[in-house]
Amino acid sequence: MTRRGRKPVGTGHVERLAGSEAAKLRMLTFLETLEGEITVPEACARLGIGATRFHALRGAWLQNALALLEPRRLGRPPQAVDVEEVLSRLQTLETENATLRQELAAAEVRRELAAALPHVVRDSKAAGKKGAPAQPAPERRPAR
């Protein structure tokens, strides 16, 4: 039975990564030793290091890789908050809220007065221009 889809790239992924050639060679060597393609002494000879150093480097690399795969909270990490800025913004919003509540109360009183005393309130459409008389001018008789 043949596999469908793309062939696995395996260690070929290392070549696509951004990094120095020395770092890519180390990663490729670590992966090849984990796959069993080369032995540890062969890897040490390729990298020019001793077996103890090789095991230390590979262990650190695997530990860092494992740390990257640990489950983390979803989303962006919380941002640092400037407490002074938040308190200042809160004070501004509370002041604005109080002002708006006063304006709302005044508008409610005006509405109630307009409903209770409609003859006192001037209609802005009927009044026309500012300072114009509220009553229409009397009709004049045509000159003879």
Side-chain angles (χ1 to χ4, degrees):
M1 181 170 169
T2 60
R3 293 181 104 168
R4 300 179 87 185
R6 295 181 183 173
K7 292 184 178 179
V9 179
T11 56
H13 285 289
V14 175
E15 294 302 319
R16 298 179 187 167
L17 299 174
S20 68
E21 290 301 318
K24 289 180 183 181
L25 177 63
R26 280 184 176 181
M27 181 181 278
L28 184 63
T29 305
F30 293 157
L31 289 172
E32 287 175 348
T33 58
L34 292 174
E35 290 177 348
E37 291 180 15
I38 62 172
T39 64
V40 172
E42 290 172 340
C44 292
R46 182 189 294 178
L47 298 176
I49 58 176
T52 305
R53 180 70 178 144
F54 175 82
H55 287 294
L57 285 173
R58 186 176 66 178
W61 176 67
L62 288 171
Q63 187 62 51
N64 288 335
L66 182 63
L68 288 174
L69 297 175
E70 286 293 333
R72 293 183 283 175
R73 292 180 59 193
L74 297 178
R76 294 182 181 169
Q79 300 294 322
V81 177
D82 183 15
V83 176
E84 294 297 324
E85 182 180 329
V86 171
L87 290 176
S88 172
R89 179 75 175 137
L90 178 63
Q91 183 64 37
T92 303
L93 291 173
E94 285 178 347
T95 304
E96 182 181 349
N97 189 13
T99 303
L100 290 173
R101 285 180 185 271
Q102 288 175 348
E103 290 176 6
L104 177 63
E108 185 67 24
V109 168
R110 285 192 297 271
R111 187 190 63 77
E112 289 175 4
L113 285 173
L117 306 169
H119 61 281
V120 176
V121 179
R122 286 192 324 179
D123 186 14
S124 62
K125 293 179 183 175
K129 293 184 178 178
K130 189 174 183 180
Q135 299 293 329
E139 289 187 29
R140 295 186 179 185
R141 292 185 185 172
R144 291 188 183 192

